[in-house]
Amino acid sequence: MNVKWLDLDTAPHLPALYAHAATKRSITGDTLPETGLRCWVAVQAKPLQAFRAVCDVPDSPLLPPTYPHVLAFGLQMQLLSDPHFPFPLLGLIHLSNQIRVLRPMGGVTQLRIGVYAHNLQKHAKGATFDVVTQVDDLLGPLWEAHSTLLCKGVEMPGEVPEHAASVVSGMSELTRWYAANDIGRRYAKVSGDYNPIHLSTASAKLFGLPSAIAHGLWLKARTLAALGSHLPAANIEITADFKKPVRLPSEVILLTSAAGSSGDFQLNGHGDLVHMTGRWRPLG
């Protein structure tokens, strides 16, 4: 995709973006914009430490693998809440997330972050698209991510693409933890993601949910922290597919299998409930 970049002088102001997002509740088209947004941001010690505390990430000279998403959140919000973006931000469903750590993320203080949307596809419930996030340091490309989002109710021509289901066996329990009732609010404070479905039962019910649910990227960050030494520091691709939401409060159980530089993981509830599946592989 040939992205038309718009370079910003400062990071977007989140409260204003939430106000814009709250006023748009309808689908206005079926074409994604060709414009991407870029901005230099600073990595600051205090917010990073707060993120580590909420996601149970040990201290390290390396940035946590999912932390660039936090730095990029304002740009992602501005992209998705723009009046010309065809889909309403509130109500989008996060289906999967893939990150690629290209080089070890240590000693970085300034990062240039770019975001754009592409890959619009028909879905049985509407349409999906990818939000692509690219992160460079002063040496060049450092990290990138693809987040696949679903907008229900979009009418598109054609057939629904088929996706092969993968089944992984031989995993064993690594650990389990409790997702507390307030974890959505705690993660919102460090990430900027104040989506009402994560904050409280009352706000989640406004969007048709019986209770608040955990942020998908908090689940991924907490999972990668638990996997710890199983994961290489760089030259790695980590994918997570979000299945059933984690209703708060809940206990979750992390299963994994590791084989050298590759491995698989699954986050379960009790019974047969599967919340998230994923894998890590070396970059080809």
Side-chain angles (χ1 to χ4, degrees):
M1 177 179 174
N2 186 22
V3 182
K4 300 176 182 178
W5 291 108
L6 174 63
D7 290 293
L8 307 181
D9 294 330
T10 59
H13 185 56
L14 281 175
L17 295 179
Y18 274 110
H20 284 302
T23 62
K24 182 175 181 179
R25 302 298 294 272
S26 60
I27 297 167
T28 57
D30 58 4
T31 303
L32 296 175
E34 297 180 353
T35 302
L37 304 175
R38 288 192 304 203
C39 184
W40 284 92
V41 301
V43 179
Q44 300 177 349
K46 189 173 181 179
L48 174 58
Q49 190 59 37
F51 175 88
R52 290 184 184 278
V54 171
C55 299
D56 203 29
V57 181
D59 287 335
S60 166
L62 303 177
L63 290 184
T66 64
Y67 191 65
H69 271 299
V70 172
L71 300 176
F73 183 70
L75 285 172
Q76 295 168 351
M77 277 283 293
Q78 180 158 331
L79 178 76
L80 298 175
S81 62
D82 186 277
H84 296 101
F85 199 83
F87 310 134
L89 174 58
L90 295 178
L92 293 177
I93 300 170
H94 198 175
L95 297 182
S96 67
N97 173 263
Q98 178 191 86
I99 62 178
R100 295 162 61 92
V101 184
L102 308 178
R103 293 184 284 111
M105 295 195 295
V108 293
T109 57
Q110 294 287 330
L111 295 172
R112 187 178 71 169
I113 298 177
V115 302
Y116 65 93
H118 84 140
N119 194 30
L120 184 64
Q121 293 191 30
K122 185 179 180 66
H123 186 276
K125 296 182 179 180
T128 63
F129 64 95
D130 292 344
V131 173
V132 181
T133 305
Q134 299 175 334
V135 175
D136 298 353
D137 63 4
L138 296 176
L139 299 177
L142 179 67
W143 180 98
E144 62 184 41
H146 290 243
S147 291
T148 301
L149 304 177
L150 167 65
C151 181
K152 290 184 175 181
V154 180
E155 297 291 342
M156 291 186 63
E159 301 293 327
V160 176
E162 293 185 7
H163 299 282
S166 59
V167 178
V168 178
S169 59
M171 289 191 286
S172 58
E173 181 177 336
L174 177 65
T175 188
R176 58 179 65 196
W177 68 85
Y178 187 71
N181 194 52
D182 67 344
I183 193 59
R185 297 187 293 276
R186 292 172 56 207
Y187 185 74
K189 288 181 180 179
V190 302
S191 68
D193 186 353
Y194 283 89
N195 189 325
I197 65 175
H198 303 304
L199 303 181
S200 69
T201 296
S203 59
K205 284 183 176 180
L206 296 175
F207 292 84
L209 298 175
S211 65
I213 62 175
H215 291 77
L217 287 177
W218 174 75
L219 293 172
K220 186 173 183 179
R222 183 68 177 77
T223 293
L224 300 188
L227 288 170
S229 60
H230 292 292
L231 301 177
N235 192 40
I236 183 176
E237 178 179 279
I238 310 169
T239 301
D241 298 313
F242 304 115
K243 305 298 184 179
K244 297 294 184 180
V246 174
R247 295 182 181 180
L248 300 176
S250 292
E251 184 180 52
V252 293
I253 305 159
L254 177 61
L255 310 176
T256 188
S257 63
S261 59
S262 299
D264 299 273
F265 58 85
Q266 183 167 304
L267 194 66
N268 290 355
H270 289 279
D272 297 326
L273 192 59
V274 177
H275 296 301
M276 180 175 68
T277 61
R279 56 211 165 272
W280 69 94
R281 302 287 187 267
L283 297 177

